[in-house]
Amino acid sequence: MADRLTELAHDAEEAAVPDFDAVVTRARAHRRRQRAGIALAAVVVVVGGGLAAATLPRHAESVPPVTNHQSPMPPSPAQTREGRIRLALDKGTTRLVVATDPGHVLIVREYCPRSHHCWWGSEITGVPGSLRPASQVRQGPVSAGSTGFLDGFHARFLGLDGTSRAIDAGPRIPLAKVGRPSPDAVFEMADDGGFTVYEPEHHRWWSYGLPVTAPPIQHLLLTDAGTIWTEQDDGMRPAVISSSDDGGRTWTHHPLPREKSTQFGTLLWHAGTVGVPVYGRDGVLRSIQVLDGDRWTGVRPDGPLAGLTGKLSLVEGEPNIAGLTDGGLFVRDNDFRVWQAAPDSWTRWSVVSRTAPILALTGSRDVLLGVGDDHHTAFRWTGVSWRELG
Amino acid sequence: MDDGEFVRTIYDASYRRLVGQLVVATGSLAEAEDAVQEAFARALNHARTFRNTDNPEAWLRVVAMNVARSRWSRVKRWTGLMPRLAGTTSYDDDSTPDRIALLEALKRLPAAQREAIVLHHLADLQVREIAAQLGVPSGTVKARLSRGRAALAALLGEEHSDISSQEVHDG
């Protein structure tokens, strides 16, 4: 396999090299378009602002202050308030945008190759302009992972030199071993096979060791009752879902049948058991399997889910299906519609809105937040309970 | 050497290699050439910044992949609206069936898996370096590599013999 790829690359390298003047011409064209675009943008902002004021639903007026700077979006469902926020970032290149649960946004901006500025902001209240610099990280590290929690976020940065450092919004306490996860905790996987739990109530961090497994653990889920769920797969063998009630000391394995083992998006929590979205090798959603006792069964194929199946693809690894903190579910289909399902039944779906392409999504009981793939625009839906829409 | 000359020097040294890598990332020579030229055009427009990078070729590769990725997203949206126009790729007359099969198989992989394969097998980056470049955890990179190779082997009807995680160099 590797030889064939290398051969393909080498053959491509034999193609004629275009004259450098073609690149120069292209660069000049970019500069001309950029200058024209700046002039046009000034007109669009003025005109677009007027259009937005005329077309936004009345209840959206209470969403403070919203700037509609892109093309108009299709109408939203009547009960959903929707707003867009122009993030107060206008320089540099966005390196990473993470919408973290439960409603925080972490944005890492690259100002120049030799220094990185990290910005973060809370979006629970939806106050635009609340983003502020959290710290400056030098020597070119990039984020290796982040976790949001109620009063801030924790982000790990990994440098090419192997060094890592973390920034967070609250006090950070050295890791300690404990025997059982605490409810109301946030966790993240570590590269060494363990995972880390943050306990917001006490601002404590805990470290858990997990067995080194083959296939590797790809996803983790920690329930309020303290049960750890893991998903192991390598794309070849049937995936294994395992659970532990005692902090990782003993495990019960729940292998998925081979015909249900293709690709997996994440682990979901539903009605007291675990759920797994199953994708085909083509990256298209086939079903959502839930563990019923010791059997895996598909979510009932009636209702809108039947219409969704086959329309959800794993697009460039972007999150398009995720569990909400209350057990509900939201997904974004290939047409960039955002759907949500009530916590008690994943067979009752409602279209929340149709959006522009979204880079990242997160949500809580009554707030859904997305970050547009222009890396500048945040989308927010507030003022309605997910349950009311179910 | 002024900034423009610096970009040109890198162009002469790195263009072919980058196109080779982007062909695997995109499954198309035309898309690869276009993305790489676009990356050099942006380097020209940000020549001062580009000159200060530690690794210009890595900078160009990231930009080219971003260009290819965003175009892929747009094409995907377009083909979603116009399904009958999708999949009408033309190939060079001298493309062998084997080569066409490989390109078609690459196109069917998720872009993230293709990128991981390129960065690991062609750019010789270690998992940790790929994770840092893409801004994802190492575990995600390993999974993309593993799944990408498995899917590629399945699409090509090959025995997948190089899947073991031990062959993924953690660095």
Side-chain angles (χ1 to χ4, degrees):
Chain A
M1 179 69 63
D3 290 344
R4 292 180 71 177
L5 293 172
T6 304
E7 184 184 347
L8 174 63
H10 284 169
D11 284 355
E13 291 174 22
E14 296 302 315
V17 179
D19 194 281
F20 189 67
D21 288 345
V23 176
V24 173
T25 302
R26 185 189 286 236
R28 285 176 180 156
H30 282 325
R31 288 198 291 271
R32 279 197 300 272
R33 277 199 298 272
Q34 196 171 24
R35 283 194 293 270
I38 290 170
L40 180 61
V43 175
V44 169
V45 166
V46 173
V47 175
L51 280 176
T55 57
L56 270 179
R58 180 174 297 277
H59 52 245
E61 292 172 1
S62 62
V63 181
V66 169
T67 303
N68 283 273
H69 60 92
Q70 293 186 329
S71 57
M73 291 164 47
S76 308
Q79 286 183 299
T80 306
R81 286 187 292 185
E82 175 184 305
R84 298 194 205 186
I85 310 154
R86 182 69 177 179
L87 302 180
L89 299 167
D90 57 3
K91 290 189 294 186
T93 301
T94 297
R95 184 65 177 246
L96 174 74
V97 179
V98 183
T100 56
D101 183 41
H104 294 260
V105 182
L106 168 65
I107 298 175
V108 178
R109 299 282 293 178
E110 183 182 77
Y111 270 68
C112 74
R114 292 191 185 279
S115 69
H116 294 68
H117 289 233
C118 303
W119 297 75
W120 72 276
S122 166
E123 267 304 328
I124 284 185
T125 56
V127 178
S130 63
L131 294 169
R132 58 187 174 85
S135 71
Q136 188 173 14
V137 186
R138 298 190 180 278
Q139 303 304 320
V142 294
S143 174
S146 65
T147 304
F149 42 87
L150 287 177
D151 56 358
F153 72 94
H154 165 79
R156 290 178 295 116
F157 291 86
L158 178 67
L160 292 177
D161 59 357
T163 61
S164 64
R165 59 177 296 176
I167 59 174
D168 52 40
R172 193 156 56 93
I173 294 174
L175 297 174
K177 295 280 186 183
V178 296
R180 186 180 177 84
S182 167
D184 193 27
V186 181
F187 64 86
E188 62 179 12
M189 291 183 69
D191 293 338
D192 60 3
F195 67 98
T196 302
V197 172
Y198 176 74
E199 193 177 0
E201 184 181 357
H202 303 107
H203 279 301
R204 288 188 299 187
W205 292 88
W206 310 107
S207 170
Y208 289 84
L210 289 177
V212 175
T213 60
I217 292 173
Q218 305 288 3
H219 297 102
L220 276 170
L221 179 74
L222 179 66
T223 72
D224 288 346
T227 302
I228 307 167
W229 291 85
T230 63
E231 187 260 311
Q232 299 166 245
D233 86 279
D234 59 8
M236 290 293 289
R237 288 163 282 192
V240 178
I241 311 298
S242 303
S243 60
S244 171
D245 292 322
D246 57 8
R249 282 195 288 272
T250 58
W251 293 86
T252 303
H253 303 296
H254 316 277
L256 276 155
R258 178 173 289 277
E259 65 271 19
K260 295 174 180 172
S261 299
T262 48
Q263 298 185 55
F264 301 90
T266 185
L267 284 172
L268 305 165
W269 186 244
H270 170 59
T273 188
V274 73
V276 186
V278 178
Y279 298 81
R281 288 199 181 279
D282 55 2
V284 175
L285 181 70
R286 292 285 185 268
S287 67
I288 297 178
Q289 299 289 320
V290 294
L291 192 60
D292 180 10
D294 57 357
R295 285 182 60 247
W296 289 98
T297 59
V299 173
R300 284 192 306 133
D302 57 348
L305 181 61
L308 280 175
T309 305
K311 292 182 179 177
L312 286 168
S313 297
L314 284 170
V315 180
E316 300 174 11
E318 294 176 17
N320 64 354
I321 182 166
L324 299 173
T325 53
D326 62 358
L329 198 67
F330 68 72
V331 300
R332 182 205 58 196
D333 69 14
N334 292 356
D335 295 326
F336 301 103
R337 288 173 300 181
V338 178
W339 300 69
Q340 64 86 31
D344 57 339
S345 171
W346 284 352
T347 60
R348 293 191 292 126
W349 295 81
S350 300
V351 177
V352 176
S353 178
R354 184 189 294 271
T355 76
I358 283 182
L359 187 71
L361 277 172
T362 187
S364 58
R365 187 176 297 270
D366 57 3
V367 176
L368 176 63
L369 178 74
V371 178
D373 74 349
D374 65 353
H375 292 203
H376 281 285
T377 308
F379 301 91
R380 184 184 70 247
W381 297 268
T382 58
V384 62
S385 161
W386 298 109
R387 294 178 193 276
E388 291 173 18
L389 283 175
Chain B
M1 182 186 296
D2 67 23
D3 293 337
E5 289 174 344
F6 176 75
V7 177
R8 181 170 198 145
T9 302
I10 302 297
Y11 184 82
D12 292 339
S14 302
Y15 177 85
R16 289 175 185 272
R17 190 162 43 244
L18 288 166
V19 167
Q21 294 166 2
L22 264 292
V23 159
V24 176
T26 62
S28 161
L29 177 59
E31 287 178 31
E33 289 178 327
D34 193 56
V36 172
Q37 288 182 44
E38 178 67 24
F40 275 102
R42 295 185 186 185
L44 264 181
N45 284 343
H46 301 85
R48 186 67 52 84
T49 299
F50 177 68
R51 192 166 187 167
N52 288 330
T53 57
D54 294 329
N55 186 337
E57 187 168 312
W59 187 95
L60 289 160
R61 187 167 52 240
V62 169
V63 172
M65 283 189 168
N66 286 343
V67 167
R69 189 187 303 128
S70 98
R71 286 182 181 165
W72 184 83
S73 294
R74 286 199 293 272
V75 166
K76 186 171 179 302
R77 279 171 236 158
W78 171 249
T79 53
L81 295 171
M82 305 287 288
R84 292 186 180 184
L85 293 180
T88 55
T89 308
S90 60
Y91 295 95
D92 297 337
D93 292 340
D94 57 354
S95 293
T96 63
D98 186 59
R99 179 59 45 84
I100 292 172
L102 181 57
L103 289 169
E104 283 295 318
L106 284 167
K107 284 182 176 178
R108 292 179 65 181
L109 290 187
Q113 293 177 8
R114 289 199 305 258
E115 288 175 1
I117 287 173
V118 168
L119 294 173
H120 190 65
H121 292 288
L122 298 180
D124 292 327
L125 297 185
Q126 295 177 342
V127 168
R128 189 179 63 201
E129 295 171 316
I130 299 171
Q133 182 165 316
L134 298 178
V136 299
S138 294
T140 301
V141 174
K142 290 177 187 175
R144 288 176 182 175
L145 280 171
S146 177
R147 291 172 178 175
R149 291 184 303 198
L152 204 52
L155 288 167
L156 294 171
E158 290 184 355
E159 284 293 321
H160 186 50
S161 58
D162 59 343
I163 192 66
S164 68
S165 58
Q166 287 78 10
E167 292 189 18
V168 177
H169 308 298
D170 290 347

